[in-house]
Amino acid sequence: MSRYVEILFRFWIRFVLLLVVMPALVASAFVVFFPSYKATSALWVDYPTYFGARFTPVGWNQYLTPAQNESDSLTQLMSTTSFVGTLTDRLAASGTVTDPVERRSVLGSIYTTLRVNATGSHLMVLSVSCDRKAVCVAILNETIALFRDQETKLEQDQADIGISFLSSELTQAQASQKAAEDALSKYLAANPTLRADPTTAAAYPELARLMADLQTRRANVADLQGSLSQAEYLSSASARLVEIGPRVMDAPHISNDGLLGDGQSLKRALVAAAVCITIGGGYLVLVTWLDKTARDTRELERRLKVRVITSIDKMRQLEHLAVE
Amino acid sequence: MSEQRLESRVRDLADSIEEALRPQTFGHGFAARTPGTEQARSITLPAWFIDRCRRAYLSVPYDSPSRVLGVTSANHGEGKTSVAIGIATAMAADTQEATLLVECDLERPSFYHQFGLSSKGGLSEWLDGMSPLRVARSAYLPNLVVVPSGAPHSDPARLLYQLSESNMFAELKPRFRNIVFDLPPSLDIAYSSLASKLADHLLLVVRYGVTLVEDIQKVIYLLGPERVSGIVLNATEYRTPGWLRRLL
């Protein structure tokens, strides 16, 4: 230990440079030239019953809170390449990120630092870290807008499929109803004495069958029409819900605006300083290890098993064997 | 025959050193009464340095009344000569007893430079029988006698073998309570193990931030761990504040 301390003091300029000056410079450079800011935004998500209807938007889990449902959807979307690609394209289109190098850096930031957390039952917090304040805010703004667009489109697609299916079913049901009506009319024309009422039908089984068939077909058409109306209502309602549902409570803003930003740059600076100190420490160990000369009395006694009976300080030149 | 000659010269040497230690008045320069004895230039080491060296020699557990210490290092330039001089100075000043400081690094002598002596004549020449032993005496610590190694020799291993086999220091021990050998560096010089036999206790000087721990391990292995009484960590230059070092 004393050898290390002695080497430290012997080459103190070198070690001050390696262990103090260089880490301080590197850490300062990291803070100044590689800043990191964090933008956050808070969104409020309501239950769909807010609209007075009993339905759930696409992908909603009734056992989760609205905030959990939305954050789950957004998290899944954010992990898709198309979402991130569209986001960066939008940023480029808006003129926020024009440099290709910065674009790659932003892409990395989105993948690694864009986070969405459900805080409580309705509050959803979005955050992202990057090296420019304006870019951070723009990323969140575009994320919210893109999320809404994607959700609306998803709802619309889902509704279109449902409405299309019900419409085709209704067309078929209406055709069947028309055929049943035609068959009944033809039967009544062939038997002019008969009337299409339950009393007459009780005496004529064929009439009863045709009337029952027509009734079934009409009920089917009415049922499908109801379903189609419901589907159209749900489609528009859920699309509206998605559009206006997550309300922006806190607009995207930089949470720590100071020199140290979100603290990431400070962390990086500390890591860089630690690396410099490790290098300095390694150099100290190396220099001490390479120095095989006699320096420490306790070490000499331990290694050689011979007493060091005295230590004589180095004489200054004038003192050395001065002659009278 | 040569051994007999050396022994007789050793006795002569002991007598000359004893003679050199008798109270006498030096003038300026080399005004020595005894042939081969001259006045060494006084070396002023900082008081704190001497104090640290004092701590070093006092920490050694001596097993006889005389203190015969060898100071060595792994390589050249780690400060063993300064420490040896500091220890000898502290011993001489503290005990006021006759103290002998002998330079045994026959390849890279430095005492002549540090004590202001001429480079010719010293332990090497005396061992070769070419000249009487030069003995220098400190002006301010008259009980401290210095023996320089002389000019660099081409065959120092032979000389040191001769020296280690002779009874020179057995002869000198009764006359000098304190003997300090400035030994050659143990890894740089092959004959250093011969030289290290001259001393009863060895101190290993290690230069802070220069000497490799591996080299120290080798030296301790070469000399024998039981012979190394301690390590002197020289030229420390801690940058860590004292209070922090005490905490660690």
Side-chain angles (χ1 to χ4, degrees):
Chain A
M1 181 65 185
S2 50
R3 276 182 83 88
Y4 289 97
V5 176
E6 178 62 23
I7 293 287
L8 205 63
F9 277 93
R10 181 166 298 277
F11 304 108
W12 69 272
I13 295 176
R14 233 179 269 185
F15 285 109
V16 161
L17 284 174
L18 273 172
L19 298 173
V20 180
V21 177
M22 192 182 287
L25 283 178
V26 171
S28 308
F30 264 87
V31 169
V32 173
F33 297 113
F34 303 102
S36 178
Y37 300 100
K38 187 176 187 178
T40 55
S41 178
L43 305 178
W44 188 271
V45 188
D46 273 312
Y47 280 108
T49 48
Y50 179 77
F51 291 92
R54 288 175 176 277
F55 64 87
T56 50
V58 176
W60 271 52
N61 182 338
Q62 59 177 327
Y63 299 108
L64 298 179
T65 63
Q68 285 172 332
N69 271 304
E70 286 292 340
S71 62
D72 182 47
S73 299
L74 184 52
T75 307
Q76 289 178 55
L77 269 179
M78 285 187 323
S79 62
T80 62
T81 313
S82 64
F83 181 88
V84 177
T86 312
L87 186 59
T88 45
D89 287 346
R90 282 191 179 199
L91 290 169
S94 66
T96 313
V97 179
T98 49
D99 182 33
V101 177
E102 192 180 15
R103 191 185 157 110
R104 278 197 292 277
S105 155
V106 167
L107 204 64
S109 295
I110 292 170
Y111 271 122
T112 53
T113 64
L114 184 56
R115 294 277 180 274
V116 53
N117 291 308
T119 309
S121 58
H122 292 77
L123 196 64
M124 191 169 80
V125 177
L126 269 75
S127 63
V128 70
S129 293
C130 49
D131 53 5
R132 274 209 297 142
K133 295 176 190 175
V135 173
C136 285
V137 172
I139 288 174
L140 287 192
N141 276 325
E142 292 297 340
T143 302
I144 294 167
L146 189 58
F147 176 54
R148 278 182 174 156
D149 290 353
Q150 294 273 359
E151 287 274 274
T152 308
K153 188 172 178 297
L154 210 61
E155 284 293 333
Q156 198 61 54
D157 290 350
Q158 193 72 16
D160 286 349
I161 292 167
I163 288 166
S164 165
F165 173 73
L166 286 172
S167 299
S168 124
E169 286 288 302
L170 182 61
T171 308
Q172 282 181 16
Q174 282 170 337
S176 300
Q177 184 189 334
K178 183 79 175 55
E181 281 170 353
D182 289 350
L184 183 60
S185 300
K186 197 175 171 184
Y187 179 78
L188 288 173
N191 303 286
T193 56
L194 298 179
R195 283 188 302 177
D197 59 44
T199 316
T200 313
Y204 297 92
E206 181 59 16
L207 179 62
R209 189 190 62 78
L210 288 171
M211 284 175 65
D213 186 40
L214 180 60
Q215 198 175 356
T216 307
R217 305 287 169 154
R218 278 178 181 160
N220 193 24
V221 168
D223 195 30
L224 283 169
Q225 277 173 336
S227 295
L228 185 60
S229 301
Q230 180 71 11
E232 282 169 349
Y233 167 73
L234 289 179
S235 163
S236 63
S238 60
R240 183 76 183 131
L241 173 69
V242 168
E243 194 178 325
I244 63 165
R247 280 176 290 163
V248 177
M249 301 297 286
D250 292 328
H253 64 283
I254 299 295
S255 42
N256 295 92
D257 208 5
L259 176 69
L260 297 177
D262 63 350
Q264 284 298 317
S265 55
L266 183 65
K267 280 183 194 168
R268 285 198 290 253
L270 289 176
V271 169
V275 168
C276 288
I277 290 170
T278 307
I279 291 169
Y283 179 68
L284 171 65
V285 170
L286 182 71
V287 170
T288 311
W289 182 75
L290 288 176
D291 182 11
K292 308 283 188 195
T293 59
R295 287 191 188 275
D296 184 40
T297 53
R298 273 173 291 185
E299 188 202 352
L300 284 177
E301 287 179 344
R302 184 173 49 79
R303 287 183 62 181
L304 306 171
K305 308 280 185 271
V306 176
R307 279 186 315 145
V308 175
I309 52 178
T310 187
S311 295
I312 302 175
D313 294 345
K314 188 174 186 179
M315 276 196 276
R316 291 195 300 274
Q317 201 61 36
L318 290 175
E319 276 182 338
H320 185 58
L321 295 180
V323 174
E324 269 191 349
Chain B
M1 185 66 186
S2 73
E3 275 178 20
Q4 279 177 349
R5 272 214 317 272
L6 184 64
E7 273 179 27
S8 81
R9 280 168 49 224
V10 164
R11 272 193 298 278
D12 293 346
L13 163 75
D15 292 341
S16 350
I17 293 174
E18 207 163 33
E19 176 69 19
L21 283 167
R22 280 187 197 143
Q24 54 191 288
T25 309
F26 285 110
H28 291 290
F30 299 145
R33 213 167 53 179
T34 310
T37 305
E38 52 190 276
Q39 186 182 10
R41 200 164 56 179
S42 176
I43 290 175
T44 306
L45 289 166
W48 60 264
F49 185 89
I50 302 281
D51 190 51
R52 296 300 170 91
C53 293
R54 176 175 293 121
R55 192 184 297 175
Y57 93 80
L58 289 176
S59 302
V60 177
Y62 304 98
D63 39 17
S64 66
S66 59
R67 305 177 189 89
V68 184
L69 270 182
V71 181
T72 186
S73 63
N75 307 295
H76 275 296
E78 294 181 350
K80 63 175 171 50
T81 302
S82 300
V83 172
I85 293 170
I87 287 174
T89 307
M91 276 179 169
D94 293 350
T95 62
Q96 294 294 313
E97 291 168 346
T99 303
L100 184 63
L101 173 61
V102 185
E103 184 181 33
C104 295
D105 190 348
L106 304 183
E107 284 185 29
R108 293 175 69 170
S110 62
F111 273 20
Y112 72 92
H113 170 69
Q114 295 188 9
F115 288 98
L117 307 170
S118 71
S119 61
K120 287 180 183 172
L123 195 61
S124 306
E125 288 78 1
W126 177 77
L127 283 167
D128 255 354
M130 291 163 66
S131 67
L133 184 67
R134 284 175 71 207
V135 177
R137 192 172 150 185
S138 168
Y140 293 96
L141 280 170
N143 54 328
L144 173 60
V145 173
V146 178
V147 177
S149 68
H153 199 275
S154 58
D155 190 9
R158 179 181 61 81
L159 294 185
L160 272 166
Y161 178 75
Q162 220 175 323
L163 190 63
S164 62
E165 290 297 304
S166 77
N167 62 344
M168 173 181 173
F169 293 103
E171 195 74 36
L172 289 177
K173 265 185 191 178
R175 301 168 196 236
F176 292 94
R177 286 286 299 277
N178 310 315
I179 303 177
V180 179
F181 293 102
D182 178 20
L183 299 172
S186 297
L187 291 185
D188 280 357
I189 307 289
Y191 58 81
S192 59
S193 54
L194 277 177
S196 70
K197 286 180 185 166
L198 298 171
D200 295 340
H201 300 277
L202 296 173
L203 291 182
L204 179 58
V205 177
V206 164
R207 194 172 182 89
Y208 175 87
V210 174
T211 314
L212 297 174
V213 177
E214 198 185 340
D215 285 355
I216 308 170
Q217 281 172 325
K218 283 181 195 167
V219 173
I220 292 172
Y221 175 76
L222 282 173
L223 299 176
E226 70 289 343
R227 297 203 62 215
V228 180
S229 300
I231 291 173
V232 176
L233 188 58
N234 186 33
T236 57
E237 205 178 5
Y238 294 113
R239 301 291 172 88
T240 313
W243 62 267
L244 188 55
R245 263 191 292 133
R246 282 189 290 276
L247 277 179
L248 292 170

